[in-house]
Every structure is written in C-alpha cells, then in structure tokens.
C-alpha cells in the first residue's frame, strides 16, 4: 500500500473519510472486517488519502466449490497449489512435464493423492489444467517400485470429476480419509498422470516425422490473440472461414475448442468481440457442447445466426503447457515492465550468461515474438538504439545476432539467427535491440466488396499526372511518355477497417511527417498500401503504391465517435470500429496498366506491407481478386481477404499467401 496525495477541491472536502487507523491481518474478506476507529470516525484530511497498486500476479490456489457427495458436510477446503511432479529421471529433464505424481499443496506441504478412487476423468481434468488436450496410460509397475522406496504423504481427500470440468476446483470432493502421515494408501498408490501434449508442444524428435506427412486442413483456428492459446474462434464451413456468435457461449464449449487445437481446458470463454472482430459470415450461434466432443463442429448449435454481428464474436483463452520460455528472456532498463532493452540468457563456455541482441535487421516481427514470449501482449514499438534504457552492465555484450522471425514463434531462440557465429557491426550496449509491448493492438482489414464494386478504367493525359509521377505512382515506362500522351489507370476505392482492440497510429510522430508540395499534404507513412497485378502463374506484371496521404476516420460504427481528422494538420489514425476510405478519384489510387496485355490476372492489395505499425493479425492485410482485361473493359470478381478461404481455395490465387512473407 502506498500513500497518494489527493487534489484539494471543494468537492473533495465534502467527501467523507470512512476509515482511520486500519489494522488488517490480510485474511479479512473486506476492509469492514479489519479493526479501525469505526466506520466514519476519523480525524484525517484528504491530503492523507491512501491508495494501492496491485500486483498483476494472482495468488496461487483455489477453493473447491462443490460439497461432499453426501451433502452432509459443507467444508471450506482451500488448496494452495497443484502440480505434476516428474518422478522418473527420463521425465525430469523434459519440458513440458507430461508425467508424474499429482500433488496438492496443503498447509505449506506438498502431498500426494490416494488413487483408490481415482478415475480417468480425473486425469483428463488434471492434464487439461496444465495445458494438455488428453491423457494416456503409463507404466504403473515402475511407480509401484518407487512408492515402496519412498513412502508418500497423502492428502486427506479424494476427488470426483465428471470429465468435462475446466478446472479441478469444479470437481466434487470424494470421501475424506483418516490416514495418518506417511501411512500407506490402503490398497493403492499415489495418483500418477501421463498427459499427451498438443502438436505445438510435442518433444522435438517427432518434428521430422510429422513433417513427412501433409497436415490436414483444420476446421477451427484462433485469430487476434496476443499469446499462444488465445484468440477469436473461427470455423471453416463450405471453404470459407467464419466466426461464432457469443449467445450461450460457455466455458464448456470453449474447452472443446481448446482441446481440439491441442491446448488444455479453457481459462475463459470471452464474448462481445473482446479479442477483435472478424469478417465474413457468422457460422455458428447458440453453441451447446457436452464437453466430450472432438470438435466444436460436433456440438449442437442454431444454424440460424439471425441478429448476430461481429460485435458478438466469441473468443477463448486456453491453458497451455509451461515451457519455461520466460526464464531465458527479460526486458531491462525500461520505465515499466512492458518496455526495455532485450536481454537473453545463453550458454557460454559452460555457464549461463545474460547478453543483448544485435539490432541489425531488428523489426516488428522479432519484437512480436519477444512480447509473446514474456506474456506481455503485442509489440507496440521496436528500437534499434537503447542508450536511454541502461540495462545491466554485465549484460552489454551481444550474444545473439542476425535474428529473423516470422512472427509466429513462441520463443526468440526459435527464430533464425547466427548461432555461435556472431556478427554485429553496431555492437551491443547502447545499440542493442529493444521493444515496448502492449496488451492490445490494431487490426486493419480491407473491405473486398468495395474494391469489387468501384473498379473501373480511366485514360488520363500525362500532363495531368505530374504530381503522381513525382510520387512514383506510375509505371517506370511513364518516364519516356510525352506530355500529350495518355496513361491507362485501373482505379478503385479502398475502405480500410480497424477491427482490432486499439487505434491504428502511424509510427512516425508529426514532427517527422514528410510534406509533399505537389499534393499539398503530409505523408505519415511513406508506403501504406501496395497494389499489384499478377499473371495466373504468379508473375508480377504491374504495380502501384499508396502513401498514407491522410489516415483519418471517414466513418464509424454506430455509437463510436471519430477521433482522427487530417484537416489543419490534425492527428492521423484510424479508431477501433472506424474505417478510412480512399476514394477511387484521388491520386495514386490506381495501378498503371498502360502496357498491360489483355488476359486474366490476379489483383492484390497489401496494407501496411512493411509492418511499420504492429497489428494483432497480418494474415488479413492482403486482399485478392480475379481480374479480366480485354483491352477495352475490365472485370473484378471473387475478391476476398487473406485467410478468409480454405487453403485449397487460396492456393488457386497466386501472389502472396499472407503478409508475413513480404520482403522487409
């Protein structure tokens, strides 16, 4: 607890002070139960008002919410913690721990559970709590031998789960036992569980074997989550990805999703588009699961999603295995825990040492991995210099260089890097890589229907395209074009929505925006979108680009106010729930197709192509259409966002599969 000064105002002076001289033990449920002068009895002034800063770490442990089966007793059983303790030497070295004794911490001591009433359903719940989708059989004979050598200390209660609970605390307590300490469990042994890890957490020797087979197209996926095991739930139906409406969305249904994706039970079933809004259809509504389904698609649901919008998109947070990734990475020197110089723990000459990461090629994708690994959400900024964040002097030396991440890795060590062959001209210390993280991020998505509906051709004289030429919005051949010639332009409108959880703001501050005299405006992002035409075999034949002439809120969803407007050198950005429209009749909103031959093509738009601004999902930053040009007319059809169709369908559209393979 810390004291804070409150501003003195007439209103403050009239507000009562309810408590003075509080003396709490820490076990009270409310402040009213703590000894004090009495409610309303005080000689304090508001200059002595107190406040608190709470830790973001929860105190481990839980209470059993259900009574004993006979309902005779309603005991208040508190468990301090639960763990799976690896017993066999072959499992002690493995990460994550998948097999061992189930132990509960009671009154400060770890105790085993007698297995005489233990069921497979119980094992299923324990494995789910620790991030594993299922359980398996184990070699009981080895554990019998171990139990004979070291007598266990048993917990006083048994547990009775039905198998569809999300957490052990939801299970009923079995009959209490009257065993004395160190007494052998009558007719039984300590409970052992052996859990099956999901594909992403399986031991590495199996990786090569799995890659020899083609993975089947999943029916469910998560999008928009900051860390592994969380996100908006999307399902594949008729070759198109769509969302689930949150009506009746429960922990039971969320757990089915988590297990299906190779995680454990659900921690939370989130509603109201909490992890961003999707696009496309709403495939399922009023989902009801028993908890034992293999897939959410097997659960009962209302096929009529009438009245559901993406504001009601369902999401999940799942239990994932403890991989220990956070222990080998830290942020140092920042003003708060969400920022700082990146320092990694590596082995050098037989001992573990902390060191810095070379900032050459350091960018958004690498920062995203750092923030995810530390459980701090999304990257909000990347830094190639960190002299203003003095980290540990002993950790100044560079221990990792050449880092290149795809952005999906769970640990920085999983990214490509130079290994032991370090190469860093800048050196570490003040030039080391840094990041700042945020719990939320924007998510830009283009409206494909608007592109499809607004496309047309225009033949425009070269003398009217001087500004566009200066901003490189015409093809390279235009430099030899006479002033009285014409350029053929493929024009279209772009409507770019922010479906994320925070506003999209240009990385550059207004002091560094570039003024373009010809168009009389500032560019806050030099390349905001790329426009390309590909042949059906993937060869690029025409291109264009769009600087962010003006990032502003053109329109917003009902109930959301516009925040950004470019007029009078105003702040630029796109508010959550709003969209920015670049009309077809403004400069550079085109592709120069003057030299294009008639034929069938793929038209592609990429938003934020250089990852200049971090987003929660880059896969939907691409939009593709089929395009037919006969030399006189143009048709645009089958427009869709990246990741909105099945893999099989998407592969029929050449070009980029998603924005994560563009050149930085």
């Amino acid at each position: 607890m810390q004291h804070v000064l409150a501003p003195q105002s007439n209103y403050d002076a009239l507000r009562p002070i309810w408590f003075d001289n509080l003396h709490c033990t820490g076990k009270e449920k409310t402040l009213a139960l703590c000894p004090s002068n009495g409610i309303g009895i005080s000689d304090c002034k508001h200059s002595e008002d107190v406040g608190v800063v709470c830790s973001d770490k929860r105190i481990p442990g839980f209470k059993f919410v259900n009574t004993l089966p006979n309902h005779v007793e309603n005991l208040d059983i508190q468990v301090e913690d639960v763990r799976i303790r690896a017993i066999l030497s072959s499992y002690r070295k493995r990460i994550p721990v998948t097999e061992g004794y189930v132990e509960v911490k009671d009154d400060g001591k770890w105790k085993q559970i007698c297995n005489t009433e233990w069921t497979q359903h119980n094992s299923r719940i324990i494995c789910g709590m620790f991030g594993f989708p299922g359980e398996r059989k184990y070699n009981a004979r080895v554990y019998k031998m171990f139990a004979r050598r070291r007598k266990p200390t048993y917990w006083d209660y048994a547990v009775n789960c039905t198998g569809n609970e999300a957490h052990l605390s939801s299970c009923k307590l079995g009959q209490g036992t009257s065993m004395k300490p160190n007494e052998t469990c009558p007719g039984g042994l300590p409970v052992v569980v052996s859990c099956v890890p999901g594909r992403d957490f399986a031991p590495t020797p199996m990786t090569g074997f799995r890659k020899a087979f083609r993975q089947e197209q999943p029916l469910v996926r998560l999008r928009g989550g900051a860390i592994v095991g969380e996100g908006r739930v999307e399902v594949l139906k008729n070759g198109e990805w769509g969302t689930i409406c949150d009506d009746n969305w429960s922990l039971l249904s969320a757990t089915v999703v988590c297990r299906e994706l190779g995680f454990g039970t659900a921690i939370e079933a989130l509603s109201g588009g909490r992890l961003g809004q999707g696009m496309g259809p709403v495939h399922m509504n009023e989902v009801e699961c028993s908890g034992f389904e293999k897939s959410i698609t097997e659960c009962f649901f209302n096929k009529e999603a009438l009245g559901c919008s993406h504001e009601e998109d369902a999401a999940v947070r799942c239990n994932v295995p403890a991989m220990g990734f956070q222990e080998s990475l830290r942020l140092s020197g920042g003003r708060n825990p969400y920022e700082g110089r990146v320092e990694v723990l590596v082995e050098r000459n037989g001992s573990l040492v902390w060191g810095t990461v070379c900032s050459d090629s350091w960018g958004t994708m690498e920062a995203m991995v750092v923030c995810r690994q530390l459980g701090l959400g999304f990257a909000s900024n990347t830094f190639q210099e960190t002299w203003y964040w003095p980290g540990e002097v002993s950790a100044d030396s560079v221990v990792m260089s050449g880092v290149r991440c795809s952005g999906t890795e769970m640990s920085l060590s999983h990214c490509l890097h130079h290994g032991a062959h370090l190469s860093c001209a800048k050196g570490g210390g003040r030039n080391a890589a840094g990041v700042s993280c945020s719990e939320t991020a924007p998510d830009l998505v283009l409206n494909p229907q608007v592109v499809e509906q607004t496309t047309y051709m225009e033949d425009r004289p070269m003398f009217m395209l001087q500004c566009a030429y200066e901003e490189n919005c015409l093809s390279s051949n235009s430099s030899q074009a006479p002033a009285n010639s014409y350029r053929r332009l493929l024009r279209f409108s772009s409507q770019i929505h922010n479906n994320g959880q925070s506003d999209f703001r240009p990385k550059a501050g207004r002091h560094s925006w570039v003024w373009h005299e010809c168009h009389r405006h500032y560019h806050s992002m030099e390349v905001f979108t790329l426009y390309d035409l590909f042949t059906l075999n993937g060869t690029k034949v025409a291109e264009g680009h769009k600087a962010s002439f003006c990032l502003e809120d053109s329109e917003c969803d009902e109930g959301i106010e516009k925040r950004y407007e470019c007029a009078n050198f105003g702040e630029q950005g796109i508010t959550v729930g709003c969209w920015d429209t670049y009309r077809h009749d403004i400069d550079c909103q085109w592709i120069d197709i003057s030299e294009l031959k008639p034929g069938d093509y793929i038209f592609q738009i990429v938003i934020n192509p250089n990852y200049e601004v971090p987003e929660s999902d880059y896969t939907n930053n691409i939009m593709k259409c089929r395009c037919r040009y006969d030399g006189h007319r143009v048709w645009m059809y089958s427009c869709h966002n990246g990741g909105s169709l099945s893999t099989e369908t998407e592969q029929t559209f050449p070009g980029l599969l998603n924005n994560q393979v563009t050149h930085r």
Side-chain angles (χ1 to χ4, degrees):
M1 180 178 288
Q2 66 179 29
H3 290 267
V4 292
L5 292 177
Q8 292 297 300
S9 67
N10 293 335
Y11 176 71
D12 285 330
L14 295 174
R15 292 165 61 190
I17 295 175
W18 293 116
F19 292 107
D20 189 8
N21 290 323
L22 276 171
H23 296 283
C24 302
T25 64
K27 296 181 180 180
E28 296 84 358
K29 291 184 178 180
T30 71
L31 281 177
L33 298 177
C34 299
S36 69
N37 289 355
I39 296 177
I41 302 174
S42 170
D43 59 358
C44 284
K45 301 184 295 293
H46 282 294
S47 59
E48 301 173 83
D49 286 349
V50 298
V52 296
V53 176
C54 301
S55 169
D56 56 2
K57 294 183 179 179
R58 294 183 64 83
I59 299 172
F62 57 88
K63 288 183 180 180
F64 279 89
V65 298
N66 291 317
T67 59
L68 295 174
N70 56 19
H71 297 281
V72 174
E73 299 179 79
N74 188 0
L75 298 177
D76 186 16
I77 306 300
Q78 175 82 27
V79 172
E80 294 169 38
D81 208 352
V82 179
R83 71 181 181 186
I84 300 174
R85 180 166 68 94
I87 300 299
L88 307 183
S89 58
S90 58
Y91 282 96
R92 284 184 206 150
K93 299 174 184 178
R94 290 190 189 179
I95 296 175
V97 175
T98 58
E99 182 175 306
Y101 280 174
V102 177
E103 298 184 334
V104 295
K105 195 173 187 181
D106 183 27
D107 198 22
K109 298 178 181 177
W110 287 103
K111 300 178 181 179
Q112 293 80 46
I113 302 175
C114 180
N115 72 350
T116 52
E117 295 183 28
W118 193 260
T119 66
Q120 187 177 353
H121 286 329
N122 296 355
S123 296
R124 174 179 164 86
I125 302 309
I126 291 292
C127 289
M129 281 176 58
F130 287 94
F132 304 111
E135 73 291 340
R136 61 188 167 200
K137 292 183 179 180
Y138 59 90
N139 187 346
R141 187 175 63 179
V142 179
Y143 287 97
K144 285 182 182 177
M145 293 170 58
F146 185 86
R148 289 195 198 104
R149 293 202 307 266
R150 185 174 297 177
K151 289 189 176 182
T153 302
Y154 288 103
W155 189 43
D156 291 339
Y157 300 93
V159 178
N160 182 16
C161 304
T162 62
N164 62 5
E165 295 90 350
H167 193 274
L168 189 65
S169 62
S170 299
C171 300
K172 291 184 180 296
L173 283 172
Q175 295 293 342
T177 58
S178 57
M179 291 177 289
K180 297 176 182 178
N182 300 322
E183 184 179 344
T184 303
C185 175
L189 295 164
V191 164
V192 175
V193 295
S194 184
C195 304
V196 181
R199 191 176 66 195
D200 293 339
F201 306 96
T204 50
M206 288 292 289
T207 304
F209 179 79
R210 288 200 313 269
K211 286 184 178 177
F213 297 91
R214 183 179 176 183
Q215 298 293 339
E216 291 184 10
Q217 170 77 61
L219 296 177
V220 180
R221 69 184 184 188
L222 301 182
R223 283 288 184 269
I227 58 176
V228 177
E230 74 169 28
R232 180 178 62 255
V233 183
E234 297 187 352
V235 293
L236 185 65
K237 181 181 178 184
N238 299 327
E240 185 174 14
W241 287 98
T243 59
I244 296 178
C245 189
D246 62 11
D247 293 347
N248 297 344
W249 187 242
S250 67
L251 211 57
L252 208 59
S253 301
T255 291
V256 172
V257 169
C258 292
R259 289 189 187 275
E260 180 178 0
L261 293 172
F263 306 118
T265 50
I267 303 171
E268 279 186 278
L270 301 165
S271 58
R274 283 267 304 281
L275 296 185
Q277 296 182 24
M279 290 193 80
V282 178
H283 280 326
M284 302 175 75
N285 185 25
E286 298 177 2
V287 178
E288 293 182 19
C289 304
S290 69
F292 292 98
E293 293 86 356
K294 297 291 184 185
S295 170
I296 192 71
T297 58
E298 297 174 9
C299 299
F300 169 83
F301 67 96
N302 185 350
K303 296 179 175 60
E304 300 293 332
L306 297 175
C308 277
S309 68
H310 287 296
E311 294 177 358
E312 300 171 88
D313 283 345
V316 297
R317 284 199 176 101
C318 307
N319 282 305
V320 297
M323 303 298 291
F325 293 142
Q326 293 182 347
E327 297 168 12
S328 59
L329 187 74
R330 70 187 183 190
L331 300 184
S332 182
R335 295 162 298 180
N336 58 62
Y338 284 82
E339 67 177 21
R341 184 175 79 175
V342 179
E343 297 178 358
V344 293
L345 187 65
V346 297
E347 186 176 342
R348 288 288 183 270
N349 301 322
S351 58
L352 293 173
V353 296
W354 286 97
T356 56
V357 178
C358 184
S359 61
D360 290 341
S361 77
W362 186 256
T364 298
M365 289 305 178
E366 292 72 36
M368 282 286 193
V369 174
V370 168
C371 294
R372 179 184 301 114
Q373 183 174 347
L374 292 172
L376 298 178
F378 303 99
S380 57
N381 274 299
T382 60
F383 302 91
Q384 283 75 39
E385 294 181 359
T386 49
W387 51 267
Y388 35 78
W389 287 333
E392 296 288 336
V393 176
S394 60
D396 275 353
S397 299
V398 172
V399 296
M400 183 180 279
S401 65
V403 182
R404 299 283 290 189
C405 304
S406 69
T408 60
E409 296 88 350
M410 287 189 277
S411 169
L412 200 63
S413 62
H414 296 168
C415 301
L416 293 173
H417 57 91
H418 290 155
H421 306 287
L422 298 174
S423 175
C424 186
K426 290 182 176 180
R430 62 189 290 117
N431 294 314
V435 301
S436 62
C437 306
S438 172
E439 293 179 351
T440 59
D443 182 20
L444 296 189
V445 183
L446 197 81
N447 187 327
Q449 286 74 36
V450 170
V451 174
E452 197 167 305
Q453 294 163 5
T454 59
T455 301
Y456 66 98
M457 285 191 317
E458 180 193 11
D459 290 338
R460 195 168 180 84
M462 190 66 193
F463 69 83
M464 295 180 66
L465 294 169
Q466 189 58 39
C467 287
Y469 174 73
E470 290 182 12
E471 295 193 12
N472 298 316
C473 295
L474 300 175
S475 69
S476 56
N477 293 337
S478 64
S479 58
Q480 283 83 40
N484 60 350
S485 65
Y486 283 77
R487 305 302 296 177
R488 177 157 287 184
L489 308 176
L490 178 65
R491 285 184 171 273
F492 49 88
S493 295
S494 295
Q495 189 183 94
I496 301 170
H497 293 245
N498 183 359
N499 286 357
Q501 300 170 269
S502 62
D503 295 352
F504 184 93
R505 299 295 309 281
K507 180 180 180 180
R510 66 167 73 195
H511 64 280
S512 59
W513 293 354
V514 179
W515 173 256
H516 282 254
E517 183 66 31
C518 195
H519 279 130
R520 306 291 297 174
H521 58 225
Y522 286 94
H523 287 186
S524 58
M525 293 175 66
E526 197 57 36
V527 179
F528 179 53
T529 49
L530 294 179
Y531 309 133
D532 298 298
L533 271 178
F534 296 90
T535 63
L536 297 185
N537 66 7
T539 303
K540 187 188 293 186
V541 291
E543 64 183 10
H545 83 275
K546 180 77 172 169
S548 60
F549 284 9
C550 168
L551 283 174
E552 67 178 359
D553 297 325
S554 302
E555 298 291 339
C556 297
D557 290 332
E558 187 177 351
I560 297 177
E561 291 186 9
K562 298 178 183 180
R563 297 183 60 186
Y564 303 105
E565 187 176 10
C566 297
N568 302 318
F569 196 36
E571 290 289 348
Q572 293 194 25
I574 307 176
T575 305
V576 175
C578 298
W579 57 91
D580 188 7
T581 301
Y582 284 88
R583 285 175 50 86
H584 54 80
D585 54 1
I586 64 175
D587 262 6
C588 297
Q589 191 61 33
W590 63 56
I591 292 182
D592 185 351
I593 59 171
S594 301
E595 289 82 28
L596 189 69
K597 296 177 181 178
D600 289 312
Y601 299 94
I602 299 297
F603 173 61
Q604 175 180 279
I605 297 179
V606 185
I607 311 168
N608 191 18
N610 299 327
Y611 315 104
E612 203 172 310
V613 178
E615 296 185 47
S616 61
D617 187 359
Y618 285 110
T619 62
N620 57 15
N621 281 34
I622 284 187
M623 191 225 64
K624 295 181 186 179
C625 305
R626 292 195 177 278
C627 179
R628 174 166 290 181
Y629 174 54
D630 68 358
H632 306 284
R633 293 168 297 176
V634 66
W635 292 265
M636 198 79 77
Y637 60 100
S638 298
C639 294
H640 65 280
N641 293 110
S644 64
L645 303 180
S646 66
T647 303
E648 187 178 6
T649 305
E650 192 62 58
Q651 286 172 346
T652 65
F653 286 79
L656 299 176
L657 289 179
N658 59 60
N659 195 23
Q660 293 180 319
V661 291
T662 57
H663 175 69
R664 282 183 284 168

Short mmCIF file of all heavy atoms in Angstrom, two decimals, residues 288-305:
data_model
loop_
_atom_site.label_atom_id
_atom_site.label_comp_id
_atom_site.label_asym_id
_atom_site.label_seq_id
_atom_site.Cartn_x
_atom_site.Cartn_y
_atom_site.Cartn_z
N GLU A 288 -23.89 -25.34 -27.95
CA GLU A 288 -24.01 -26.09 -26.69
C GLU A 288 -23.24 -27.40 -26.83
O GLU A 288 -23.54 -28.21 -27.70
CB GLU A 288 -25.48 -26.37 -26.37
CG GLU A 288 -26.28 -25.12 -26.05
CD GLU A 288 -27.73 -25.43 -25.67
OE1 GLU A 288 -28.00 -26.59 -25.32
OE2 GLU A 288 -28.57 -24.52 -25.75
N CYS A 289 -22.25 -27.60 -25.96
CA CYS A 289 -21.41 -28.80 -26.00
C CYS A 289 -21.55 -29.59 -24.71
O CYS A 289 -21.83 -29.03 -23.65
CB CYS A 289 -19.94 -28.41 -26.19
SG CYS A 289 -19.59 -27.41 -27.65
N SER A 290 -21.30 -30.90 -24.80
CA SER A 290 -21.28 -31.76 -23.60
C SER A 290 -19.91 -31.70 -22.94
O SER A 290 -19.76 -32.00 -21.76
CB SER A 290 -21.60 -33.20 -23.98
OG SER A 290 -20.55 -33.77 -24.75
N GLY A 291 -18.89 -31.31 -23.71
CA GLY A 291 -17.53 -31.25 -23.19
C GLY A 291 -16.66 -32.41 -23.65
O GLY A 291 -15.45 -32.39 -23.46
N PHE A 292 -17.27 -33.42 -24.28
CA PHE A 292 -16.52 -34.60 -24.73
C PHE A 292 -16.39 -34.66 -26.25
O PHE A 292 -15.86 -35.64 -26.78
CB PHE A 292 -17.19 -35.88 -24.21
CG PHE A 292 -17.09 -36.03 -22.72
CD1 PHE A 292 -18.15 -35.66 -21.90
CD2 PHE A 292 -15.95 -36.51 -22.12
CE1 PHE A 292 -18.07 -35.78 -20.53
CE2 PHE A 292 -15.85 -36.64 -20.74
CZ PHE A 292 -16.92 -36.27 -19.94
N GLU A 293 -16.90 -33.66 -26.95
CA GLU A 293 -16.80 -33.65 -28.41
C GLU A 293 -15.34 -33.49 -28.84
O GLU A 293 -14.55 -32.83 -28.19
CB GLU A 293 -17.63 -32.51 -29.01
CG GLU A 293 -19.14 -32.64 -28.82
CD GLU A 293 -19.65 -32.10 -27.50
OE1 GLU A 293 -18.80 -31.67 -26.67
OE2 GLU A 293 -20.87 -32.09 -27.30
N LYS A 294 -15.01 -34.09 -29.98
CA LYS A 294 -13.66 -33.96 -30.54
C LYS A 294 -13.48 -32.62 -31.23
O LYS A 294 -12.35 -32.14 -31.39
CB LYS A 294 -13.40 -35.09 -31.54
CG LYS A 294 -13.41 -36.49 -30.95
CD LYS A 294 -12.23 -36.70 -30.04
CE LYS A 294 -12.19 -38.13 -29.52
NZ LYS A 294 -11.08 -38.33 -28.54
N SER A 295 -14.59 -32.03 -31.67
CA SER A 295 -14.53 -30.75 -32.38
C SER A 295 -15.75 -29.91 -32.04
O SER A 295 -16.83 -30.44 -31.77
CB SER A 295 -14.46 -30.99 -33.89
OG SER A 295 -14.63 -29.77 -34.61
N ILE A 296 -15.57 -28.60 -32.06
CA ILE A 296 -16.69 -27.69 -31.81
C ILE A 296 -17.77 -27.87 -32.88
O ILE A 296 -18.95 -27.60 -32.64
CB ILE A 296 -16.19 -26.22 -31.78
CG1 ILE A 296 -17.25 -25.26 -31.24
CG2 ILE A 296 -15.73 -25.76 -33.14
CD1 ILE A 296 -17.50 -25.40 -29.77
N THR A 297 -17.37 -28.36 -34.06
CA THR A 297 -18.34 -28.57 -35.14
C THR A 297 -19.29 -29.73 -34.85
O THR A 297 -20.30 -29.88 -35.52
CB THR A 297 -17.62 -28.84 -36.47
OG1 THR A 297 -16.76 -29.98 -36.33
CG2 THR A 297 -16.78 -27.63 -36.88
N GLU A 298 -18.96 -30.56 -33.84
CA GLU A 298 -19.83 -31.67 -33.45
C GLU A 298 -20.88 -31.25 -32.42
O GLU A 298 -21.81 -32.00 -32.14
CB GLU A 298 -19.01 -32.83 -32.87
CG GLU A 298 -18.03 -33.45 -33.86
CD GLU A 298 -17.14 -34.49 -33.20
OE1 GLU A 298 -17.41 -34.84 -32.03
OE2 GLU A 298 -16.17 -34.94 -33.84
N CYS A 299 -20.72 -30.06 -31.85
CA CYS A 299 -21.65 -29.58 -30.83
C CYS A 299 -22.96 -29.13 -31.48
O CYS A 299 -23.00 -28.74 -32.65
CB CYS A 299 -21.03 -28.41 -30.05
SG CYS A 299 -19.51 -28.84 -29.17
N PHE A 300 -24.01 -29.16 -30.66
CA PHE A 300 -25.30 -28.64 -31.14
C PHE A 300 -25.20 -27.13 -31.29
O PHE A 300 -24.58 -26.45 -30.47
CB PHE A 300 -26.42 -28.98 -30.15
CG PHE A 300 -27.71 -28.27 -30.45
CD1 PHE A 300 -28.59 -28.77 -31.40
CD2 PHE A 300 -28.03 -27.07 -29.80
CE1 PHE A 300 -29.77 -28.10 -31.69
CE2 PHE A 300 -29.21 -26.40 -30.09
CZ PHE A 300 -30.08 -26.92 -31.04
N PHE A 301 -25.79 -26.59 -32.35
CA PHE A 301 -25.85 -25.14 -32.50
C PHE A 301 -27.04 -24.76 -33.36
O PHE A 301 -27.59 -25.58 -34.10
CB PHE A 301 -24.55 -24.58 -33.11
CG PHE A 301 -24.30 -24.98 -34.53
CD1 PHE A 301 -24.67 -24.16 -35.59
CD2 PHE A 301 -23.69 -26.19 -34.83
CE1 PHE A 301 -24.43 -24.53 -36.90
CE2 PHE A 301 -23.45 -26.57 -36.15
CZ PHE A 301 -23.82 -25.73 -37.19
N ASN A 302 -27.44 -23.52 -33.22
CA ASN A 302 -28.54 -22.99 -34.01
C ASN A 302 -27.99 -22.54 -35.36
O ASN A 302 -27.12 -21.67 -35.43
CB ASN A 302 -29.18 -21.81 -33.28
CG ASN A 302 -30.41 -21.26 -33.99
OD1 ASN A 302 -30.69 -21.63 -35.12
ND2 ASN A 302 -31.13 -20.39 -33.32
N LYS A 303 -28.45 -23.16 -36.41
CA LYS A 303 -27.93 -22.86 -37.75
C LYS A 303 -28.37 -21.47 -38.24
O LYS A 303 -27.81 -20.93 -39.18
CB LYS A 303 -28.38 -23.92 -38.75
CG LYS A 303 -27.82 -25.31 -38.45
CD LYS A 303 -28.30 -26.34 -39.44
CE LYS A 303 -27.65 -27.69 -39.21
NZ LYS A 303 -27.92 -28.25 -37.88
N GLU A 304 -29.36 -20.90 -37.60
CA GLU A 304 -29.82 -19.57 -37.97
C GLU A 304 -29.13 -18.53 -37.07
O GLU A 304 -29.47 -18.41 -35.90
CB GLU A 304 -31.34 -19.45 -37.83
CG GLU A 304 -32.12 -20.43 -38.70
CD GLU A 304 -31.98 -20.12 -40.18
OE1 GLU A 304 -31.76 -18.94 -40.52
OE2 GLU A 304 -32.06 -21.06 -40.99
N ALA A 305 -28.16 -17.84 -37.63
CA ALA A 305 -27.43 -16.84 -36.83
C ALA A 305 -28.06 -15.47 -37.00
O ALA A 305 -27.38 -14.45 -37.16
CB ALA A 305 -25.96 -16.81 -37.25
#
